[in-house]
Amino acid sequence: MRGNAEANSKFSQSKMRGNAALASGVASLLLFFSSMPICQAKLGLGEPKVSQIEIYMHDLLVAEKPTAVIVAEANTTKSSPTLFGQVVVVDDPMTEGPELTSKLIGKAQGLYAPSSQSEISLFEAVDFVFTYDKFNGSTLSVMGRNPILQKERELSIIGGSGAFRLARGYALKQTYSFDTATLNAVVHYNVTVIHY
């Protein structure tokens, strides 16, 4: 009988320690999030804004001046149906419309790599570097998984600079056109971003 009482007591003490740790963790998170408005005020950030941006990115692997260049491949990439192990660095023009001759609004600079052995899916990490109007000199950092055969894909906005300081949001992307011979593509992005 005494053994059961001791076991129950130890279990209760362990449960209380677990609850105390959980309560401490929740309190820490509440304190962190409640201090965010204070930090925003101290940094002079003002109120958050939501911007919607529509762009077209031109990924040109084959061109007089390519904007996407393969910089690495694994020994097995050529035999992989998904090009697994390849790394591509980009400096792609971003335009207002789907034609390469439309107004240039910036560059998409970063990299992408086929990251699945079973489906055509890319890991992307790209900065949108804006060179026009009110966003001139500002950047958005976009990262995520891009299963390119799906009609619409969603990537995360994980940060930014300039007008997009402390940015967060998402980018919906669709392939506007794709050339199977050259692998050149035009991709439409619809970006929703919260920033200060």
Side-chain angles (χ1 to χ4, degrees):
M1 191 78 149
R2 185 174 173 189
N4 284 342
E6 283 179 21
N8 285 338
S9 173
K10 286 182 182 179
F11 175 74
S12 293
Q13 288 175 358
S14 173
K15 188 175 178 184
M16 287 175 47
R17 278 195 297 271
N19 287 341
L22 178 63
S24 175
V26 169
S28 296
L29 284 173
L30 287 173
L31 181 61
F32 172 75
F33 286 115
S34 66
S35 68
M36 288 180 82
I38 296 167
C39 294
Q40 292 167 2
K42 283 185 177 182
L43 295 173
L45 297 175
E47 292 299 312
K49 301 179 260 312
V50 177
S51 293
Q52 299 254 307
I53 304 165
E54 195 171 344
I55 61 170
Y56 290 85
M57 184 189 80
H58 303 265
D59 194 52
L60 306 173
L61 283 157
V62 177
E64 185 177 317
K65 187 176 178 185
T67 63
V69 178
I70 298 168
V71 295
E73 286 187 338
N75 293 338
T76 57
T77 296
K78 295 283 190 231
S79 63
S80 168
T82 64
L83 298 176
F84 181 74
Q86 183 181 80
V87 178
V88 179
V89 174
V90 300
D91 185 22
D92 291 340
M94 299 186 312
T95 60
E96 256 183 10
E99 299 80 23
L100 190 53
T101 55
S102 9
K103 181 180 177 185
L104 183 69
I105 58 174
K107 296 283 193 104
Q109 299 174 331
L111 58 88
Y112 60 82
S115 55
S116 173
Q117 294 184 62
S118 59
E119 68 175 313
I120 300 174
S121 179
L122 308 174
F123 167 76
E124 296 184 14
V126 177
D127 282 336
F128 290 171
V129 182
F130 293 92
T131 58
Y132 80 105
D133 299 336
K134 64 183 177 181
F135 298 136
N136 186 22
S138 299
T139 65
L140 280 175
S141 296
V142 181
M143 188 167 70
R145 181 177 178 270
N146 178 13
I148 63 175
L149 296 180
Q150 291 182 9
K151 181 176 177 172
E152 184 172 74
R153 292 88 70 192
E154 182 175 332
L155 280 74
S156 301
I157 305 295
I158 60 168
S161 66
F164 297 117
R165 192 171 291 136
L166 295 177
R168 62 192 185 280
Y170 62 94
L172 297 176
K173 66 187 291 184
Q174 293 181 328
T175 302
Y176 179 82
S177 66
F178 180 73
D179 184 324
T180 55
T182 63
L183 303 183
N184 290 349
V186 178
V187 180
H188 175 246
Y189 281 86
N190 192 339
V191 176
T192 302
V193 59
I194 301 169
H195 57 103
Y196 292 90

